[in-house]
Amino acid sequence: MKKFFALFFSLFIVFAIANAQVDKDFDKLKSAYLHIQNENYQEAYNYFKEVLNIYPKEPIYNYYVGRCLFFLDKDPMVSLKYLRFAATKEVPEDVYYFLGRAYLNNYQFDKALENLEWFKKRASKKQIRELELDNYISMAQNGLYLSKYVKKPLVYSKKKSQLDHFYENYIFDEQVGTFVDKFDFFSLTKDSVKEQSILFVPGLKTEHEVFYFSDINEKRGDYDIYRITRLSDTSWSEPENLGDIINTPFDENYPYLHADGTTLYFASKGHYGMGGYDLYRSSWNWDKQEWTEPENLDFPINSPFDDILFVPSPNKKTAFFASNREAVKPNIMVYKLKLSSAEPYIETKNHEELVELSKLMVNISAESEKGRVVSEKNKPDQYELVKLKGKESILYKTKYDSLLDLAIQHQLKADSLKWIIDEKRMVFENTKEGQERAKISTIIIELEREIYRLQKDADNCYAQVRQIEQANLASQKSIYEDGKKTEKSDKNETTEVPVKTNVFVEPVQDSIQKSYLLMVNEGDDEPFSDYGLRIEVLAIYHLKNSIPVNKILPEGIVYMIQLGVFSSEKNPEVFKGLTPLFCIKNDNSTNRKYFAGMFQYLAEAEKNLPIVKSKGFKDAFVVAFNSNKPIAIKEAVQLESVKNNPTQKVVNKNSIDHSKKENDLSIIYVLKGQINANDSMIVINSKANLPENTDLYFQKKNEESFFIIKPFLSYDEASIARTKLKDLIKSEIEIHAYFAENQIPLEQARKITK
């Protein structure tokens, strides 16, 4: 009897330990899943990597490990290894979202676009909104364009620094100024939730100093750029928002007004960019008293990561900026570049070349005075403040100098593009294949259009420079309003003598031979479709193919996105590659309405609306037409044909809603089998013999049909049901295990639920 009790007690202990281990394993699984939902990726990774070592071919654990590594490792190739494997199996559809973002970070913009658009077809409206899917699609499209032609960077140094005070590595001449934390400068209480805000303080204190900084827009909740004027040592003006040209509904931060008093550099997540914070510049338009449209500083200064605080030296020969492309919080990398407008643009060949360029490897020797930017030795009065009229900003250089700088920049960039065109024309002449010739001709047209724009901007600047020169010659006064010096004459009298200035002589411009090449479609290519919306890197609309006006629309309901109403015809470049485009103009009016995209269903139009808004058309909206006549959206929806739902569900009459139970963090078992048309009725009839808490689904993939019965709460329950069905159906029936709607190894599930 004692032996019996001893054996019984031993077995009891063994079962207790086994049950405790099972509970512990299940708790670990639930905990890891919750870590994923709460974005605690390091904790989740520790568990899923351990389980993946046991089940290396299990798709769901490859998916979770790849998803965690996407956020934990800066090298996208690490996460791509797992995500690519998982995508070939049955895992959550958002694997294509993470694949797209990983490809984006790896500069494979074409693959990023392919995966993101694939996921968008399967995503819900909630997923599209919460994951900001349309924004990432735009980033991939922009990346294709911005990385096509680039300048090879000249890098003096790269240094890892703490994010909290990285700007201390921006070392300039003391007279230029310093960067400080905004909260410290204004003696504000630091808020750990708020994003970092850096302020540039000029070295020479002057009356009515203007400071640029970033702060939260209380109406929208995003970060905007503001400026504020020091009225005295103790008082300030009200902060002034820089307006919609600079600020977007997304974040803008890290502003810096250059010493030329005209050029503003800043970082933005909302303008035309390739991901994260991109860097931009905008110039103050003296005539219109407004900022010009921000210009992206291009790859490889910009990347799909956060690139911030671009600060050129006063002579614009060197610059600092920071990026997290090679660093993880709390660190960031600070780069020092040599700026050279004379460097030609080169055409990139593949993504490996882009990855190499993005690393910004040090490739030129450091300056003799290490860590310092040698400032240009200007005349003492060259950076004196200029007295301006009305509401003009306080600037650090004269209008004459600023316009001259802009003119030279535009001219040099136009000249470098001419060099590329000459090279392309030589390639065109030696190319025989028609499709390739058409492709090259499109590139040449695009480059010529860009040269024309740059040359026009340069000519406008030169014209204003000449006006200032003529005005000063006529008045015999210096172009600097405050630029007078006192000199003593031979008679010891003090007289006002104008400061001599170097008058810029405009160089003789090279004539640009414009020979527009027409694209010839060869073979039986499909005609261009007006349906849908896409962003064309090489725009199809130009001088030879203008935007169609009053085009006859297809019969029935058609939706389009209205971009705006304009009083004159617009250059296609204004619409930033949006395709297709349409224009409607009434005979009795000069106003023109421009539209983008064409859709058969309202849902499709609404999905594409954020893409249009991300291109700068913030007031765009969806309109409807019926047989070429505008109608109300409500009326269009009533007339719109609704597609049948391809998924069928067969439910018992006495069944109840078990969705809440299925959404619990529990393990369930599912029966799945392939059937033909004759078997479907057998499965439906046999459903009466299955547990009441199960539902029957039919699913069609490609040309094959499947049935699914779920949920079973134990393996034994699912196994009994499979035996009953196998007596009726000849095809193989499989048992699968799921946790949180994701398939997990059957062996692991049985171990936990045993």
Side-chain angles (χ1 to χ4, degrees):
M1 182 64 70
K2 289 182 178 179
K3 289 183 178 180
F4 173 77
F5 279 114
L7 178 61
F8 176 80
F9 183 74
S10 299
L11 290 173
F12 177 79
I13 294 297
V14 169
F15 279 117
I17 294 173
N19 284 331
Q21 183 62 42
V22 167
D23 291 341
K24 186 178 180 181
D25 290 343
F26 190 40
D27 288 342
K28 283 184 177 180
L29 177 61
K30 288 194 292 185
S31 178
Y33 177 79
L34 291 173
H35 281 315
I36 284 281
Q37 304 308 309
N38 296 325
E39 300 182 0
N40 299 323
Y41 294 109
Q42 186 61 61
E43 290 81 356
Y45 172 76
N46 294 336
Y47 171 80
F48 287 122
K49 182 60 177 173
E50 180 183 341
V51 179
L52 187 63
N53 291 334
I54 303 172
Y55 307 102
K57 299 297 183 182
E58 188 57 39
I60 191 61
Y61 294 137
N62 277 274
Y63 161 77
Y64 279 131
V65 168
R67 180 172 169 179
C68 291
L69 287 172
F70 171 77
F71 294 99
L72 297 175
D73 199 307
K74 276 294 177 182
D75 184 359
M77 289 302 296
V78 177
S79 60
L80 280 171
K81 170 187 173 183
Y82 298 97
L83 292 172
R84 280 194 291 229
F85 175 81
T88 63
K89 310 294 180 181
E90 287 192 22
V91 295
E93 294 283 4
D94 63 2
V95 67
Y96 296 104
Y97 167 77
F98 291 106
L99 263 175
R101 289 194 59 187
Y103 279 125
L104 184 68
N105 289 352
N106 202 42
Y107 305 94
Q108 293 174 273
F109 301 112
D110 51 347
K111 290 188 176 181
L113 192 59
E114 179 184 346
N115 281 274
L116 291 170
E117 289 182 335
W118 180 268
F119 174 60
K120 184 176 179 179
K121 294 176 182 177
R122 292 153 178 78
S124 64
K125 286 186 177 180
K126 182 180 179 182
Q127 285 178 309
I128 292 174
R129 182 179 65 255
E130 292 182 349
L131 296 176
E132 298 182 349
L133 186 56
D134 289 321
N135 289 338
Y136 286 109
I137 289 175
S138 292
M139 292 170 193
Q141 292 167 335
N142 298 341
L144 283 170
Y145 180 82
L146 292 170
S147 63
K148 185 64 176 174
Y149 298 99
V150 303
K151 287 187 176 184
K152 188 175 181 179
L154 302 174
V155 185
Y156 282 118
S157 65
K158 52 193 293 188
K159 180 181 179 181
K160 187 179 290 185
S161 176
Q162 290 284 321
L163 181 61
D164 290 342
H165 49 79
F166 74 95
Y167 49 86
E168 293 177 0
N169 293 283
Y170 290 45
I171 304 174
F172 288 98
D173 192 313
E174 291 181 1
Q175 291 184 350
V176 175
T178 57
F179 289 95
V180 297
D181 187 282
K182 181 190 74 175
F183 295 98
D184 294 337
F185 184 78
F186 290 114
S187 300
L188 301 173
T189 303
K190 286 193 176 182
D191 188 342
S192 59
V193 178
K194 286 190 175 182
E195 194 165 320
Q196 186 181 34
S197 183
I198 310 300
L199 191 74
F200 179 72
V201 180
L204 295 175
K205 187 176 179 180
T206 58
E207 185 181 0
H208 297 297
E209 286 179 296
V210 177
F211 297 87
Y212 290 78
F213 63 93
S214 179
D215 205 349
I216 291 180
N217 183 321
E218 297 297 341
K219 293 182 180 179
R220 294 195 305 245
D222 61 300
Y223 283 84
D224 279 0
I225 295 176
Y226 297 81
R227 63 183 171 195
I228 191 171
T229 304
R230 189 203 296 268
L231 303 178
S232 68
D233 289 340
T234 57
S235 63
W236 298 85
S237 68
E238 287 295 320
E240 176 190 354
N241 190 297
L242 294 197
D244 292 341
I245 294 178
I246 299 296
N247 293 315
T248 70
F250 300 91
D251 292 338
E252 277 73 40
N253 205 337
Y254 304 101
Y256 171 71
L257 183 68
H258 188 262
D260 65 8
T262 297
T263 311
L264 177 71
Y265 296 90
F266 65 99
S268 171
K269 293 181 179 179
H271 288 288
Y272 184 82
M274 58 201 309
Y277 272 121
D278 268 23
L279 290 162
Y280 302 83
R281 64 169 161 243
S282 176
S283 300
W284 181 255
N285 187 310
W286 292 80
D287 293 331
K288 296 182 179 179
Q289 289 291 293
E290 65 181 17
W291 297 102
T292 60
E293 190 70 24
E295 178 185 356
N296 190 293
L297 295 190
D298 293 339
F299 175 84
I301 290 176
N302 285 320
S303 71
F305 301 91
D306 287 331
D307 307 293
I308 60 175
L309 196 59
F310 187 86
V311 180
S313 59
N315 59 12
K316 295 186 179 179
K317 290 185 178 180
T318 57
F320 285 100
F321 84 99
S323 175
N324 66 354
R325 69 186 73 179
E326 295 183 283
V328 181
K329 278 187 177 182
N331 296 320
I332 196 167
M333 198 73 75
V334 176
Y335 302 88
K336 181 182 178 184
L337 309 178
K338 178 181 179 181
L339 302 180
S340 175
S341 301
E343 286 294 316
Y345 283 85
I346 60 173
E347 183 178 3
T348 55
K349 306 298 183 185
N350 49 55
H351 99 275
E352 288 84 5
E353 186 177 0
L354 296 179
V355 171
E356 194 62 29
L357 287 169
S358 72
K359 293 177 182 177
L360 296 174
M361 303 300 292
V362 176
N363 52 17
I364 53 177
S365 60
E367 296 172 343
S368 57
E369 190 176 354
K370 189 175 181 181
R372 297 180 64 85
V373 176
V374 181
S375 60
E376 185 180 11
K377 293 183 179 179
N378 300 294
K379 294 182 179 180
D381 60 339
Q382 186 162 346
Y383 284 103
E384 289 184 11
L385 288 173
V386 183
K387 292 181 180 178
L388 303 173
K389 300 177 181 179
K391 297 182 179 179
E392 292 183 347
S393 304
I394 301 295
L395 303 175
Y396 290 98
K397 218 175 184 183
T398 64
K399 179 178 179 180
Y400 178 89
D401 290 327
S402 300
L403 289 170
L404 196 53
D405 284 345
L406 284 174
I408 294 172
Q409 287 178 29
H410 293 317
Q411 187 71 60
L412 289 172
K413 192 169 184 179
D415 291 342
S416 66
L417 290 179
K418 292 176 192 175
W419 178 81
I420 295 178
I421 284 185
D422 291 340
E423 187 181 65
K424 288 292 179 187
R425 283 177 176 153
M426 291 177 63
V427 175
F428 180 84
E429 291 174 0
N430 297 325
T431 302
K432 304 299 181 184
E433 202 272 318
Q435 196 71 19
E436 190 64 26
R437 286 172 66 88
K439 181 180 177 182
I440 297 171
S441 71
T442 304
I443 295 173
I444 293 174
I445 291 171
E446 189 72 22
L447 290 172
E448 286 179 330
R449 189 181 295 121
E450 179 68 8
I451 289 177
Y452 176 78
R453 183 188 67 80
L454 290 168
Q455 194 67 58
K456 186 176 179 181
D457 290 343
D459 291 343
N460 288 336
C461 292
Y462 286 139
Q464 294 181 66
V465 166
R466 285 194 294 270
Q467 288 177 4
I468 296 173
E469 290 172 354
Q470 293 299 321
N472 280 284
L473 288 172
S475 62
Q476 295 297 311
K477 292 182 180 179
S478 168
I479 59 174
Y480 295 99
E481 193 172 327
D482 283 354
K484 296 181 179 180
K485 286 186 177 180
T486 58
E487 293 184 4
K488 290 185 178 180
S489 65
D490 295 336
K491 298 179 180 180
N492 295 324
E493 294 178 353
T494 301
T495 57
E496 297 287 338
V497 180
V499 176
K500 293 182 179 180
T501 58
N502 295 323
V503 178
F504 178 78
V505 179
E506 183 178 353
V508 178
Q509 300 176 17
D510 295 331
S511 60
I512 305 174
Q513 299 296 329
K514 295 185 176 65
S515 55
Y516 289 97
L517 303 174
L518 296 178
M519 290 184 62
V520 180
N521 292 325
E522 298 185 0
D524 298 327
D525 293 340
E526 291 185 4
F528 165 69
S529 173
D530 284 337
Y531 280 106
L533 177 75
R534 56 194 177 279
I535 310 297
E536 295 287 353
V537 177
L538 299 176
I540 67 168
Y541 301 107
H542 45 76
L543 294 177
K544 298 292 184 179
N545 182 30
S546 59
I547 299 172
V549 179
N550 295 339
K551 180 174 180 175
I552 297 177
L553 302 177
E555 289 294 320
I557 301 298
V558 170
Y559 298 92
M560 296 195 295
I561 298 174
Q562 183 167 320
L563 304 174
V565 181
F566 303 91
S567 59
S568 61
E569 184 178 359
K570 290 298 175 185
N571 189 316
E573 291 181 359
V574 171
F575 302 108
K576 301 179 181 178
L578 291 170
T579 306
L581 292 172
F582 307 94
C583 175
I584 294 179
K585 179 182 179 298
N586 293 329
D587 295 335
N588 300 326
S589 173
T590 59
N591 290 338
R592 295 169 178 260
K593 292 182 180 180
Y594 283 91
F595 304 85
M598 185 185 293
F599 312 93
Q600 292 177 308
Y601 302 104
L602 177 61
E604 294 175 353
E606 289 178 337
K607 279 186 178 181
N608 284 275
L609 184 59
I611 298 176
V612 174
K613 290 188 175 183
S614 72
K615 295 298 180 185
F617 301 95
K618 302 179 180 64
D619 298 324
F621 58 94
V622 178
V623 295
F625 295 84
N626 184 18
S627 299
N628 225 53
K629 295 181 180 180
I631 61 172
I633 292 290
K634 185 176 180 180
E635 182 183 351
V637 172
Q638 293 174 348
L639 298 172
E640 182 183 314
S641 60
V642 181
K643 291 184 178 180
N644 293 327
N645 188 351
T647 304
Q648 300 179 23
K649 177 181 176 182
V650 182
V651 188
N652 278 347
K653 291 181 180 179
N654 299 325
S655 68
I656 58 174
D657 184 11
H658 293 280
S659 59
K660 184 176 180 181
K661 184 179 291 186
E662 288 187 39
N663 288 332
D664 290 342
L665 294 184
S666 57
I667 293 176
I668 64 168
Y669 295 88
V670 172
L671 293 183
K672 184 176 181 180
Q674 187 174 348
I675 58 171
N676 54 42
N678 297 327
D679 290 336
S680 60
M681 289 307 300
I682 297 175
V683 175
I684 293 173
N685 293 333
S686 65
K687 179 69 175 66
N689 299 320
L690 298 176
E692 285 191 359
N693 64 336
T694 58
D695 292 327
L696 171 63
Y697 299 82
F698 285 112
Q699 190 180 64
K700 191 170 184 179
K701 277 191 176 182
N702 299 325
E703 299 300 322
E704 298 177 337
S705 297
F706 298 87
F707 72 87
I708 297 172
I709 301 175
K710 66 177 183 177
F712 297 94
L713 301 182
S714 70
Y715 176 82
D716 292 338
E717 188 181 21
S719 182
I720 293 170
R722 180 177 65 169
T723 302
K724 291 180 179 179
L725 286 173
K726 286 184 73 174
D727 294 337
L728 302 172
I729 303 174
K730 296 180 181 180
S731 62
E732 185 67 27
I733 302 173
E734 299 174 345
I735 300 178
H736 298 282
Y738 284 80
F739 172 77
E741 300 183 359
N742 297 314
Q743 188 173 347
I744 63 173
L746 189 61
E747 177 188 346
Q748 182 190 17
R750 292 186 66 184
K751 180 181 177 182
I752 292 176
T753 60
K754 191 173 181 180

